[in-house]
Amino acid sequence: MIPYLVLTTMLRLWMAVCILLVFVSVGDLIFASGHSFKSFGKRLLLSLVWPLALFSDAGRKSLFKGFRSTQGV
């Protein structure tokens, strides 16, 4: 069984990254030109499910592509 300390540390890490990605998404929506609510919604969804996407190659590619495509890279 996974110890309580490990679980709480993982949850705190997930929450911190989630909050950071939500702020990035909102900032990009407000300050970037030419971005729509569709890309904003996609980025918000990705900010919530990013730990699940890291488990597979396709998930990692779509996760990084989703954030890079809105950055213009």
Side-chain angles (χ1 to χ4, degrees), residues 20-72:
L20 176 73
L21 292 176
V22 166
F23 279 132
V24 168
S25 299
V26 171
D28 194 43
L29 177 69
I30 294 172
F31 297 111
S33 62
H35 286 68
S36 65
F37 283 106
K38 183 179 178 183
S39 64
F40 174 67
K42 182 178 178 182
R43 289 183 78 176
L44 280 182
L45 179 66
L46 288 174
S47 69
L48 294 174
V49 297
W50 69 268
L52 298 175
L54 292 177
F55 286 116
S56 70
D57 287 335
R60 284 189 296 271
K61 287 179 185 176
S62 68
L63 181 67
F64 292 122
K65 186 180 91 174
F67 275 95
R68 286 183 184 159
S69 67
T70 58
Q71 294 295 322

